[in-house]
């Protein structure tokens, strides 16, 4: 009889362990806020590439508005270094980006204003300092302002540290050459548009001699003191490891180590006077991760971690729609790039785009945010200090009263969140999660193939395995 009881005990333990792995047993977790982390909410939005995006697509514009994208980037990344604002298109006679070979999707000053009104966004204006002169660009900024496009954020070029671009090296043989030239541009733009915030190109990591010298020669250079911010682009690579259950925590744990590395690097190399704008970021590398819920979870972790870097004011994942298969947040029956002037595109979120929308919408009504503390919070990857299965932000109003919680569950367990420590209101839980463990790594998974939970909650909210959720006061 004792032997039988022992077998039953072992069988029971095995069943409980299996249930935990499959996420069928809920673990209780108390949620509070790290009050010392409270800060103004950054601006969140989707990065743009207007050489691929129809500015008059009402369907896509409606999706951007409903996702609460607050800020974009015009005209985008590398094409901005060849863009002629007076023509609304790249410089066809001198374009090393290859964009002049694309179907023309011109965006005039007036059309940009209509687009911003339709989407409810503001935008960063990226000036073409590589090919045009200062007077032409100042006239462009004045034209945008006169048309009702607020020139609140001005970015002085895109990735001028890129040593693979011959025209960039010809214009700026050394990083200090960019700093000296942009000092004049900063003064002139400030004189004409005194309320604009102006950002120089910066780096959050390095990989060659030019990038290692960049922040020192540009941002630590006294001639750059007139600028307000530095832009940083974050593109961590994911190792090409099999997507086995044992490897998922290791892959997701890299979000924490990369975030910590960016924080350390910018603190050490970018003077504290400069704010930080993340005007592009995404992942590359492991092709098995592309367009999976796992990739979305990786992006969720990074979006929720980046605001812990106090100087970051803008977070723009790359991209809304673009030509890079790693990155689009929206796709249609045509893929992420629709034909020029198409009127029948039906847009849906990619996994990452859906997750961004969950986070952006959950924090949209907040004036401030703070880091959510989960207790207990199981370790995600023991080899990465500080990595945890639960990561989140608390949204707060101007009086620092909590109004929302956004959270990502990076593990395979269900958690019962006791939110009474942060939310003193009746709330609605809105969450997306995969239906099965296999769906976490299933490429091409669509929004209608995910489990959507939308329900009122009291003090306890059940968070499914691998879910991204928002809890907002009614």
């Amino acid at each position: 009889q004792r032997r039988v009881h022992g077998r039953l005990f072992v069988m029971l333990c095995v069943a409980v362990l299996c249930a935990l792995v499959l996420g069928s047993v809920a673990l209780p977790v108390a949620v509070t806020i790290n009050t010392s982390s409270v800060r103004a909410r950054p601006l969140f939005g989707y990065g743009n590439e207007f050489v691929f995006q129809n500015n008059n697509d009402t369907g896509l514009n409606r999706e951007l508005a409903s996702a609460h994208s607050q800020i974009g980037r015009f005209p985008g990344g590398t094409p901005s270094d060849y863009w002629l604002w007076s023509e609304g298109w790249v410089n066809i006679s001198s374009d090393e980006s290859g964009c002049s070979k694309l179907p023309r999707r011109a965006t005039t000053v007036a059309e940009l204003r209509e687009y911003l009104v339709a989407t409810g966004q503001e935008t960063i204006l990226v000036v073409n300092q590589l090919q045009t002169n200062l007077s032409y660009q100042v006239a462009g900024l004045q034209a945008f302002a006169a048309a009702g496009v607020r020139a609140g954020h001005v970015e002085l070029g895109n990735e001028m540290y890129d040593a693979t671009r011959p025209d960039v090296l010809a214009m700026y043989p050394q990083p200090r050459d960019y700093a000296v030239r942009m000092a004049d541009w900063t003064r002139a733009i400030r004189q004409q548009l005194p309320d604009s915030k102006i950002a120089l190109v910066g780096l959050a990591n390095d990989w060659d001699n030019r990038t290692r010298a960049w922040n020192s020669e540009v941002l630590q250079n006294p001639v750059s003191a007139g600028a307000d911010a530095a832009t940083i682009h974050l593109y961590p690579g994911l190792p090409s490891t099999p997507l086995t259950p044992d490897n998922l925590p290791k892959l997701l744990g890299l979000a924490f180590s990369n975030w910590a590395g960016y924080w350390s690097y910018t603190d050490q190399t970018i003077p504290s006077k400069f704010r930080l704008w993340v005007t592009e970021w995404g992942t590359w590398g492991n092709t098995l991760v592309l367009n999976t819920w796992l990739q979305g979870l990786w992006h969720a972790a990074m979006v929720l971690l980046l605001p812990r870097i106090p100087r970051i004011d803008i977070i723009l994942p790359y991209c809304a729609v673009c030509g890079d298969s790693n990155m689009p947040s929206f796709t249609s029956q045509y893929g992420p790039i629709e034909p020029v002037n198409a009127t029948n595109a039906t847009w849906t979120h990619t996994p990452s785009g859906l997750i961004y929308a969950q986070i952006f919408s959950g924090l949209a009504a907040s004036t401030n945010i703070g880091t959510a503390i989960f207790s207990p919070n199981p370790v995600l990857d023991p080899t990465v200090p500080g990595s945890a299965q639960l990561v989140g932000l608390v949204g707060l109003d101007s009086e620092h009263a909590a109004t929302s919680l956004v959270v990502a569950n990076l593990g395979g367990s269900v958690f019962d969140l006791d939110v009474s420590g942060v939310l003193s209101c009746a709330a609605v839980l809105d969450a997306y999660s995969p239906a099965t463990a296999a769906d976490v790594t299933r490429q091409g998974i669509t929004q209608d193939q995910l489990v959507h939970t939308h329900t009122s909650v009291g003090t306890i909210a059940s968070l499914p395995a691998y879910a991204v959720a928002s809890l907002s006061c009614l």
Side-chain angles (χ1 to χ4, degrees):
Q1 186 177 9
R2 188 176 300 167
R3 187 176 302 164
V4 171
H5 286 167
R7 288 176 180 171
L8 289 174
F9 178 76
V10 170
M11 291 172 64
L12 177 62
C13 289
V14 170
V16 170
L17 288 173
C18 288
L20 288 173
V21 171
L22 297 176
S24 60
V25 174
L27 306 177
V29 172
V31 186
T32 55
I33 183 172
N34 180 352
T35 55
S36 65
S37 71
V38 173
R39 52 157 296 175
R41 175 184 47 77
L43 292 170
F44 295 99
Y46 298 94
N48 303 103
E49 288 288 10
F50 276 85
V51 294
F52 295 114
Q53 182 176 337
N54 291 345
N55 62 65
N56 61 351
D57 184 317
T58 56
L60 180 57
N61 293 350
R62 187 165 50 248
E63 290 292 339
L64 288 165
S66 65
H68 290 92
S69 180
Q70 297 165 307
I71 191 168
R73 190 170 178 235
F74 180 82
T78 302
S80 64
D81 294 325
Y82 308 95
W83 191 270
L84 300 178
W85 66 264
S86 55
E87 297 183 16
W89 190 241
V90 293
N91 185 353
I92 296 175
S93 64
S94 181
D95 166 42
E96 297 194 25
S97 70
C99 294
S100 59
K101 300 176 183 177
L102 297 171
R104 185 181 176 98
R105 301 171 196 259
T107 301
T108 64
V109 173
E111 287 170 336
L112 177 60
R113 181 185 181 279
E114 292 173 4
Y115 165 80
L116 294 174
V117 170
T119 57
Q121 299 180 104
E122 58 180 296
T123 191
I124 301 169
L125 295 173
V126 190
V127 298
N128 177 359
Q129 43 68 50
L130 186 62
Q131 287 194 330
T132 65
N133 59 41
L134 176 56
S135 60
Y136 174 78
Q137 289 300 326
V138 169
L141 293 173
Q142 291 172 329
F144 283 118
V149 177
R150 181 173 175 267
H153 299 87
V154 178
E155 187 176 345
L156 298 179
N158 181 78
E159 297 183 355
M160 291 294 103
Y161 45 76
D162 187 351
T164 68
R165 298 168 61 183
D167 54 345
V168 169
L169 292 180
M171 175 64 79
Y172 305 120
Q174 301 299 326
R176 68 177 69 91
D177 299 320
Y178 168 81
V180 170
R181 185 164 182 251
M182 289 304 98
D184 292 336
W185 285 55
T186 300
R187 282 190 293 271
I189 294 171
R190 179 85 66 212
Q191 183 176 6
Q192 296 297 323
L193 299 165
D195 295 332
S196 294
K197 301 296 184 184
I198 302 169
L200 295 162
V201 173
L203 280 162
N205 61 315
D206 57 55
W207 54 90
D208 59 19
N209 289 337
R210 183 175 176 87
T211 55
R212 278 187 284 275
W214 188 268
N215 286 353
S216 173
E217 292 191 22
V218 175
L219 298 171
Q220 296 176 29
N221 193 325
V223 302
S224 299
D228 303 289
T231 62
I232 53 176
H233 291 178
L234 315 177
Y235 285 108
L238 301 182
S240 297
T241 55
L243 303 186
T244 61
D246 288 344
N247 281 338
L248 297 193
K250 297 176 184 177
L251 283 168
L252 290 168
L254 291 173
F256 291 82
S257 57
N258 276 278
W259 158 73
Y262 297 140
W263 192 350
S264 174
Y265 189 94
T266 53
D267 268 5
Q268 292 176 28
T269 64
I270 298 179
S272 59
K273 76 170 293 293
F274 291 109
R275 307 299 293 177
L276 301 176
W277 302 352
V278 182
T279 55
E280 289 185 25
W281 89 269
T283 48
W284 62 279
N286 192 332
T287 57
L288 297 176
V289 178
L290 301 185
N291 204 24
T292 64
W293 190 249
L294 175 64
Q295 184 183 34
L297 288 173
W298 210 103
H299 291 163
M302 187 63 83
V303 168
L304 294 169
L305 287 168
L306 283 174
R308 297 188 190 182
I309 301 176
R311 286 195 282 166
I312 288 182
D313 290 337
I314 296 173
I315 298 175
L316 278 179
Y318 188 84
C319 58
V321 296
C322 57
D324 192 323
S325 60
N326 297 348
M327 310 297 179
S329 295
F330 300 93
T331 190
S332 71
Q333 71 268 38
Y334 302 108
I337 303 174
E338 63 180 323
V340 174
N341 294 323
T343 59
N344 65 336
T346 301
W347 293 95
T348 58
H349 295 281
T350 63
S352 292
L354 177 62
I355 284 173
Y356 294 143
Q358 281 290 99
I359 296 171
F360 298 170
S361 298
L363 297 173
S366 304
T367 305
N368 301 288
I369 58 170
T371 301
I373 303 298
F374 303 93
S375 182
N377 193 354
V379 171
L380 182 62
D381 179 358
T383 68
V384 178
S387 68
Q389 290 187 31
L390 296 171
V391 59
L393 293 169
V394 179
L396 306 133
D397 63 20
S398 59
E399 303 297 323
H400 289 192
T403 57
S404 65
L405 168 70
V406 290
V407 55
N409 180 357
L410 306 179
S413 299
V414 176
F415 293 97
D416 276 346
L417 304 182
D418 181 349
V419 297
S420 60
V422 287
L423 297 176
S424 57
C425 60
V428 171
L429 170 71
D430 193 84
Y432 283 92
S433 59
T436 67
D439 284 344
V440 178
T441 56
R442 177 180 164 190
Q443 288 190 305
I445 191 167
T446 58
Q447 183 172 338
D448 61 355
Q449 293 168 336
L450 296 162
V451 177
H452 184 205
T453 304
H454 187 86
T455 185
S456 299
V457 297
T459 59
I460 304 297
S462 184
L463 185 66
Y466 300 112
V468 176
S470 65
L471 290 97
S472 301
C473 290
L474 291 170

